[in-house]
Amino acid sequence: MLPARSQFPDGFVFGAATSSYQIEGHGFGGAGRTHWDDFAETPGNVVRAETGARACDHYHRWPQDLDLIRDANLDAYRFSASWARVLPEGRGVPNPDGLDFYDRLVDGMLERGLKPALTLYHWELPSPLADLGGWRNRDIAGWFADYAEILCRRIGDRIWSAAPINEPWCVAWLSHFLGLHAPGLRDIRATARAMHHVLLAHGRAIQAMRALGMPNLGAVCNLEWADPADASPEAALAASRYDAIYNRWFLGGIFRGEYPEPALAGLLPHMPPGWQDDMATIATPVDWCGLNYYTRKLIGPDPSPWPHLAEVEGPLPKTQMGWEIYPQGLENFLLRTEAEYSRGLPIYITENGMASGEAPVVDETVDDPERTDYLSLHLAAARRAIDRGVNLQGYFIWSLLDNYEWSLGYEKRFGLVHVDFDGLKRTPKSSYHALKRALSRNG
Ligand code: FCB
């Protein structure tokens, strides 16, 4: 059962999260082409070659979607703006319809009593910027800061919180080293540059938003707990290398102005010249730290080139993604982040949730007890961390709606609300109803 709101400190913020490309319908409203459109149109990259062209048609159905958030008794909505919707070419002339859309959306949140939690970039890089090298090109930090300024001049006065970049690990490593997300590169030199430029862009955007007087600016990193696959010293070293690349690189850059040695050991020869001079910009002070958490990995050594890592299948129950359910990892990360990185700043869990397979709509709902269980276990871990002194101030569920799960297309369903991708009807699942009861203020 989900813990009641009253079991959390006063003012604790409960929210739901989504992202622009995954729900809006990128084909609507004059948005420019993105590297996700290019990636998806290349055979073999995305399940059934699906794109976000229509997605959940949130672009037209947003009033109904905001009603769903309010009616779940949630307090906040973490959404993202699409760079290519605001600036179809990535730079230059804004798309008036794009700015109007986010303006209306933010007003719609405020009218419903929801706190707008903005993310500036959740992965849909405008293709014209990809042509110029995208995250490999140092100039992206300036292009991104300009986009931040253009968008936030319009909506920044009504934003409750803002973070520049969702999950820099995914932007850099997953997309340039593992090749699993757009632009689908597998190249260590490109990776090193993306790992650095994504953080430089973060710092520059924080500065741009500060200059506009916006409050409550933060960073959102995804963390994955790494346990050694066995008791050998080699496995312990491999797990700590994985941890350095995945978790410590980004938190280290943003909160300490330094990169962890086990990751630098492999990336140093490929770093852009003068990178050390950027660390102060990267570590521009922020007001809070956001953690996205889903799972852990078992890591062992591998004879392949650096980083010499092998993932080993773990024994725990798994979600539809094949991800082990491991709430202890969330508690561990909250304690470690408080002690080593955020050091007293508010922490928010900015994403947590699970995918389950397609289940039938029966009697106007979908039964998903496994999602309620997953959320309960992770909220309990969050509660334990608070009891142990972590300054955790909120929790956002990924996701409001079933949506476009990137290279896995529409197959993986993360929503509290079921979406029928033929007619686009929304049907709240049993987890939605459980959440609504748990968050009720008078029950
Ligand atoms: C996170 C992403 C989000 C979604 C979930 C499942 O890494 O931020 O867009 O893909 O995972």
Side-chain angles (χ1 to χ4, degrees):
M1 203 169 100
L2 287 168
R5 180 190 283 281
S6 57
Q7 294 182 27
F8 284 81
D10 279 351
F12 193 85
V13 174
F14 288 93
T18 67
S19 90
S20 40
Y21 192 83
Q22 292 179 276
I23 64 167
E24 282 176 0
H26 199 76
F28 307 123
R33 192 171 172 87
T34 82
H35 71 171
W36 264 96
D37 303 305
D38 305 326
F39 185 72
E41 281 183 21
T42 311
N45 284 339
V46 176
V47 168
R48 298 181 293 240
E50 287 166 338
T51 73
R54 188 177 73 144
C56 306
D57 188 22
H58 174 75
Y59 185 77
H60 297 107
R61 296 168 200 240
W62 62 268
Q64 178 192 358
D65 294 338
L66 296 187
D67 287 351
L68 282 164
I69 302 172
R70 177 201 56 204
D71 294 347
N73 294 318
L74 290 161
D75 314 307
Y77 177 36
R78 177 170 175 256
F79 70 110
S80 76
S82 160
W83 189 343
R85 181 176 298 292
V86 173
L87 289 161
E89 297 294 316
R91 301 179 287 175
V93 184
N95 166 26
D97 292 346
L99 286 169
D100 288 350
F101 172 68
Y102 293 117
D103 199 293
R104 284 196 303 272
L105 191 64
V106 169
D107 281 346
M109 292 176 218
L110 296 178
E111 281 158 18
R112 290 166 180 78
L114 297 169
K115 296 177 174 11
L118 168 69
T119 303
L120 293 175
Y121 182 76
H122 201 125
W123 307 351
E124 61 279 83
L125 185 72
S127 296
L129 301 184
D131 294 340
L132 299 174
W135 292 104
R136 287 181 286 168
N137 186 336
R138 181 188 171 81
D139 292 345
I140 196 162
W143 305 331
F144 186 63
D146 291 346
Y147 154 60
E149 191 187 334
I150 289 167
L151 175 66
C152 293
R153 262 195 201 288
R154 181 70 181 269
I155 64 171
D157 57 333
R158 284 154 288 154
I159 292 297
W160 171 69
S161 77
I165 289 169
N166 179 66
E167 302 190 343
W169 178 87
C170 292
V171 174
W173 193 267
L174 183 67
S175 307
H176 295 80
F177 194 81
L178 300 178
L180 297 174
H181 274 195
L185 295 180
R186 289 176 41 71
D187 183 295
I188 195 166
R189 184 173 164 93
T191 302
R193 278 139 209 273
M195 294 281 278
H196 183 67
H197 294 149
V198 72
L199 290 180
L200 184 60
H202 157 88
R204 291 284 307 274
I206 292 285
Q207 292 174 354
M209 290 191 285
R210 281 271 186 246
L212 293 173
M214 289 171 64
N216 210 16
L217 308 180
V220 172
C221 296
N222 54 316
L223 305 184
E224 205 172 78
W225 193 255
D227 278 327
D230 58 46
S232 67
E234 293 78 16
L237 268 178
S240 75
R241 207 175 309 123
Y242 185 94
D243 184 40
I245 295 167
Y246 203 116
N247 305 309
R248 292 190 180 277
W249 181 275
F250 305 99
L251 289 174
I254 294 167
F255 290 96
R256 305 175 71 105
E258 66 191 24
Y259 292 142
E261 196 284 325
L264 216 39
L267 293 177
L268 191 59
H270 312 289
M271 291 291 281
W275 63 271
Q276 293 92 338
D277 301 339
D278 296 328
M279 297 313 287
T281 304
I282 289 173
T284 301
V286 291
D287 306 310
W288 53 270
C289 176
L291 306 183
N292 294 357
Y293 177 80
Y294 291 92
T295 190
R296 69 149 184 189
K297 288 279 160 56
L298 293 185
I299 303 297
D302 192 78
S304 56
W306 189 90
H308 321 295
L309 296 176
E311 284 181 21
V312 176
E313 188 173 341
L316 302 176
K318 300 185 178 67
T319 70
Q320 191 201 12
M321 298 291 275
W323 294 347
E324 284 189 299
I325 300 173
Y326 188 62
Q328 185 61 42
L330 177 60
E331 184 180 349
N332 298 349
F333 272 133
L334 287 168
L335 290 163
R336 187 170 101 176
T337 303
E338 172 82 38
E340 298 182 33
Y341 297 104
S342 58
R343 293 178 282 202
L345 290 177
I347 299 178
Y348 294 90
I349 297 165
T350 32
E351 282 182 29
N352 178 238
M354 69 167 286
S356 48
E358 168 71 314
V361 178
V362 178
D363 295 336
E364 291 294 306
T365 191
V366 170
D367 201 26
D368 63 340
E370 65 285 359
R371 177 165 292 99
T372 307
D373 287 349
Y374 181 100
L375 299 177
S376 303
L377 290 168
H378 288 82
L379 279 165
R383 183 58 261 194
R384 290 195 299 274
I386 295 172
D387 291 342
R388 295 176 68 185
V390 173
N391 186 16
L392 179 66
Q393 297 202 3
Y395 174 86
F396 292 74
I397 296 166
W398 184 271
S399 184
L400 176 68
L401 304 171
D402 291 340
N403 60 44
Y404 180 66
E405 180 45 40
W406 306 112
S407 57
L408 302 171
Y410 294 94
E411 210 171 59
K412 306 285 188 246
R413 292 177 173 267
F414 273 92
L416 292 164
V417 175
H418 176 272
V419 177
D420 151 27
F421 287 109
D422 295 324
L424 296 177
K425 179 172 159 47
R426 277 77 162 139
T427 306
K429 302 179 188 177
S430 59
S431 57
Y432 174 97
H433 295 295
L435 184 73
K436 175 176 175 146
R437 284 192 299 275
L439 297 186
S440 157
R441 289 183 187 277
N442 47 13

